[in-house]
Amino acid sequence: VDLTFLSPSEEPGGQEVACSSQQARGHELAGHVGSVCSSASVGAERPLWQAAHDGLARALAPLEELAEEELPQLAAMALLASGGGCAASAVAASAPMLLCGLAFHTKSLYCILAVGMFGGAYSMSFRHSTEADRTLMQRSAAVLVVSGTAHLALCFGGLPPQVACHFAHPDIVAQFLPDLICTPLIVWNLGYIGGKTPQDMVPTTALSFLSVVSFATAAGVHDPRAAYYLLAVGSGCLGKASYDLNVRLPVEAGRIASCNRLRTQIASDLLVLMWWGYPLVEVLSLAHCISLPVALNSFVALDTLNKLGVSHIILRSPESFSLASRYFAEQRRARP
């Protein structure tokens, strides 16, 4: 059953935007996402158990999206990543991992993950082939190519010894370096679906970039107090960027259509959840609560969902992409 949404940005009597049956499924997920994606009032009192249930359902909504098409592939890649996360560690570089009764060397697993990222990049580049604007697809492919190249570099030893000797935790630093390129691209892609240009997203892009720099520097410094201070600064920047993407952007995406509002909400939910996993794992590693191989395993598993999963959700809806492209075309024509 197709559903029809009226773009909030249009005056009464304007054009109605029809969403296909795929978006009807998305509207069903909107029930899990909650009041952010609906016009229901938020002032009503709800029991604590119902609020907890709604929060859990919203957190699972991105996984429901992935389950329809790509969750098995992503789960397999995350499993391989978690098994090969210690490839950058010199201690465990030669240790094989037992998976389904077969022994895999960690370097081989990194190569498999890199090939998966390259395959995802190839798939992203051909999404929505009938659309003239290829910017979003090119950025998504670039994110996966950069991530795949980084994992391929880790397969061959990570940072050169001449560089690694200057950092306290060179393996963790190497995990953050690709995000210096990938994070701005993902932010711009999410902003595109929400009707925002890269220029509009400069504050959020800068904050998310600074958070990556802070986390990478925290892993590189030798003073533990300085490391925790940098983690606090990075978490502050990440908190503001998360608020902009997860709270403000979906509301502003409603200027285009409810389809775009839902798309940005689900993608930002998964993105923000993965974002906060990085400093959490880093803190546990620096505090020696978890071993370095476990930390590296976790980083690579987060990478799989953060980059491949979020890129897939952003590009999954042809209607949302088409409406965003049309919105930007109208904005360009309206300029003097």
Side-chain angles (χ1 to χ4, degrees):
V1 178
D2 289 353
L3 299 178
T4 300
F5 298 103
L6 179 63
S7 173
S9 65
E10 295 174 352
E11 299 295 330
Q15 250 185 339
E16 289 189 346
V17 179
C19 292
S20 70
S21 57
Q22 185 184 24
Q23 290 303 320
R25 169 61 180 156
H27 189 60
E28 179 184 340
L29 288 174
H32 298 319
V33 174
S35 60
V36 179
C37 299
S38 67
S39 58
S41 63
V42 295
E45 292 292 335
R46 293 183 300 165
L48 182 61
W49 66 267
Q50 186 176 356
H53 174 271
D54 292 346
L56 178 61
R58 173 175 169 177
L60 293 176
L63 298 182
E64 286 189 49
E65 283 264 318
L66 295 174
E68 295 184 7
E69 292 182 10
E70 292 197 352
L71 187 58
Q73 294 90 330
L74 289 173
M77 290 183 65
L79 179 60
L80 292 174
S82 63
C86 55
S89 174
V91 176
S94 60
M97 186 197 73
L98 193 66
L99 182 64
C100 299
L102 299 175
F104 290 88
H105 285 275
T106 51
K107 289 187 177 182
S108 300
L109 293 174
Y110 259 108
C111 287
I112 294 172
L113 186 61
V115 170
M117 289 291 185
F118 292 143
Y122 181 80
S123 173
M124 295 293 171
S125 63
F126 288 98
R127 293 282 182 97
H128 312 313
S129 56
T130 59
E131 296 289 343
D133 188 358
R134 310 298 301 167
T135 303
L136 198 62
M137 284 67 81
Q138 291 169 355
R139 287 179 191 155
S140 298
V143 167
L144 300 182
V145 167
V146 170
S147 181
T149 303
H151 288 106
L152 199 60
L154 288 174
C155 174
F156 291 99
L159 296 176
Q162 299 86 346
V163 177
C165 65
H166 297 289
F167 299 115
H169 305 280
D171 300 323
I172 298 179
V173 173
Q175 292 288 338
F176 283 106
L177 292 181
D179 290 339
L180 296 174
I181 299 174
C182 296
T183 297
L185 294 177
I186 294 174
V187 170
W188 294 345
N189 282 353
L190 197 56
Y192 185 98
I193 298 297
K196 296 288 187 179
T197 64
Q199 290 75 20
D200 298 328
M201 302 295 291
V202 165
T204 305
T205 305
L207 287 169
S208 59
F209 183 85
L210 286 174
S211 70
V212 174
V213 172
S214 298
F215 296 149
T217 308
V221 297
H222 294 271
D223 184 2
R225 288 183 299 178
Y228 289 120
Y229 175 77
L230 287 165
L231 282 168
V233 172
S235 297
C237 295
L238 187 63
K240 180 59 171 67
S242 299
Y243 176 81
D244 290 343
L245 292 178
N246 198 230
V247 177
R248 295 177 56 186
L249 183 62
V251 175
E252 295 175 356
R255 298 177 304 169
I256 303 176
S258 295
C259 302
N260 295 66
R261 189 174 189 174
L262 176 63
R263 185 62 30 200
T264 55
Q265 186 66 68
I266 294 176
S268 63
D269 281 346
L270 181 60
L271 177 63
V272 169
L273 183 63
M274 295 301 104
W275 269 1
W276 282 102
Y278 291 96
L280 175 61
V281 172
E282 184 174 3
V283 167
L284 293 175
S285 178
L286 296 183
H288 304 290
C289 296
I290 59 176
S291 64
L292 178 61
V294 171
L296 296 177
N297 298 350
S298 304
F299 281 133
V300 181
L302 288 170
D303 266 354
T304 304
L305 290 174
N306 177 34
K307 297 177 175 65
L308 188 58
V310 171
S311 297
H312 168 68
I313 290 179
I314 290 175
L315 285 173
R316 185 172 182 270
S317 170
E319 290 82 4
S320 298
F321 176 76
S322 179
L323 290 169
S325 298
R326 193 184 313 166
Y327 174 81
F328 283 115
E330 292 172 356
Q331 293 292 313
R332 287 191 293 268
R333 286 196 296 268
R335 292 174 186 170

